[in-house]
Amino acid sequence: MKKPKPRSKSLSAQRGARLSSPKAEHFFKIAQSLAETGKGFYSRGWALGTSGNFSAVISREPLRLAVTSTGLDKGKLTPDQFLEIDGTSSVVRGAGRPSAEALLHLAVVRGVNAGAVLHTHSVLSTVLSGTHAAEGGIALEGYEMLKGLEGVRTHKHREWLPILENSQDMTELAERDASTLRELPGIHGFLLREHVLYTWGASLQEAKRHVEILEFLMEVLVRAGAART
C-alpha cells in the first residue's frame, strides 16, 4: 500500500513562517501596502515596464527601509519582492538587489524626515522635465488641487517643482538631491530631467496623495498648453 504523499504547506502556513516575529510582520504589512500602491500606479501609466521604485521607513534607529527590488514589473508586485535595506543601501532582508536609486530614497528620508518615498515614470513628468529644464523647475500656482499637498491651505500657493540634471552616478546625484532639499525647504517633490518624479510624505498614504496631486497638475499644464496651440 502506497504511503500518502505529504501535503505541501498551505499558503497561510507559509505566510506564518515568514511572519515569525513582530519585526517580520511589520515588514510584511509595509511591503504589502507598497505593492498595492505600485500596482495602482502601473494601472494609471505612472510606472510601466520595470520603471519606478517605492520605499517606506521600517525603523529610524537604526535606519531601515522597505524598497522594491530592481527590474520588476510593477503591475505584478507582491510583498515578497520587497527588500529591507540599511542606511548604506545594503540588503538585510529579502532576495534580490535594490536599484542604485535606493540612495536617492535614503537621501530624501534623511533630508525631510520622510516616512515614504515614491518614484514614478509618467509620460507627463518625462516631457515636462525636459521642456522646462532650462528654467530649473516648474511653478505650479493658482490651482485648487494644490491644497492636496501637505501644509498647503490656499490655491494661491506657489509650488516650485525643481528639475535636476539626471546622472548615472547615484552617489553624486544623491548629494545633489540632499542639497536641493536643504536649499528649498517645504517642497513636495522634484523631477530628474527627462526621467522621473520623486515625491514623499510622512506616511505612505500622504506620499501617494502627493503623487496624485502633482501628476494631476502636470497633466493640466500639458493640456492647457495644447489648448493654446
Side-chain angles (χ1 to χ4, degrees):
M1 182 175 178
K2 291 184 178 180
K3 293 183 179 180
K5 292 182 179 180
R7 292 183 181 181
S8 60
K9 290 183 179 179
S10 67
L11 289 176
S12 59
Q14 293 174 29
R15 180 174 179 270
R18 290 198 302 267
L19 309 184
S20 56
S21 71
K23 286 185 178 180
E25 185 170 5
H26 179 56
F27 173 82
F28 181 85
K29 286 180 178 178
I30 290 176
Q32 192 171 41
S33 296
L34 285 167
E36 290 305 311
T37 298
K39 287 188 287 188
F41 287 171
Y42 173 88
S43 71
R44 301 175 80 166
W46 298 343
L48 298 178
T50 61
S51 68
N53 283 293
F54 318 119
S55 70
V57 173
I58 298 171
S59 69
R60 296 193 184 274
E61 292 294 339
L63 182 59
R64 297 285 188 268
L65 302 186
V67 64
T68 37
S69 182
T70 192
L72 299 176
D73 180 343
K74 301 308 185 295
K76 298 178 180 178
L77 281 178
T78 67
D80 291 335
Q81 293 174 317
F82 283 80
L83 309 172
E84 182 177 339
I85 62 170
D86 65 14
T88 66
S89 191
S90 297
V91 176
V92 297
R93 184 196 303 269
R97 62 183 177 86
S99 164
E101 291 182 351
L103 292 175
L104 277 65
H105 289 245
L106 287 164
V108 172
V109 167
R110 291 187 174 109
V112 296
N113 202 35
V117 181
L118 302 175
H119 148 198
T120 51
H121 278 250
S122 72
V123 172
L124 296 174
S125 64
T126 302
V127 170
L128 289 175
S129 63
T131 57
H132 289 261
E135 297 104 87
I138 301 170
L140 302 167
E141 188 173 11
Y143 298 105
E144 191 71 14
M145 284 290 278
L146 284 164
K147 294 194 296 184
L149 300 175
E150 186 63 24
V152 176
R153 299 290 177 263
T154 173
H155 68 284
K156 295 180 181 180
H157 169 78
R158 184 179 188 270
E159 180 73 18
W160 182 246
L161 193 60
I163 299 171
L164 284 66
E165 285 294 331
N166 193 18
S167 173
Q168 298 306 303
D169 183 340
M170 290 301 134
T171 300
E172 183 272 337
L173 185 53
E175 290 172 354
R176 277 195 285 122
D177 291 346
S179 177
T180 297
L181 295 173
R182 288 193 298 270
E183 293 168 5
L184 299 170
I187 61 173
H188 295 84
F190 60 81
L191 296 163
L192 297 183
R193 185 175 182 176
E194 297 178 335
H195 186 35
V196 299
L197 168 70
Y198 272 86
T199 189
W200 51 83
S203 65
L204 176 57
Q205 187 59 36
E206 184 177 293
K208 176 176 175 287
R209 187 178 79 240
H210 289 168
V211 171
E212 292 171 345
I213 296 299
L214 292 173
E215 287 289 351
F216 173 90
L217 292 170
M218 287 190 289
E219 184 170 351
V220 167
L221 290 182
V222 170
R223 290 182 179 237
R228 288 194 292 267
T229 60

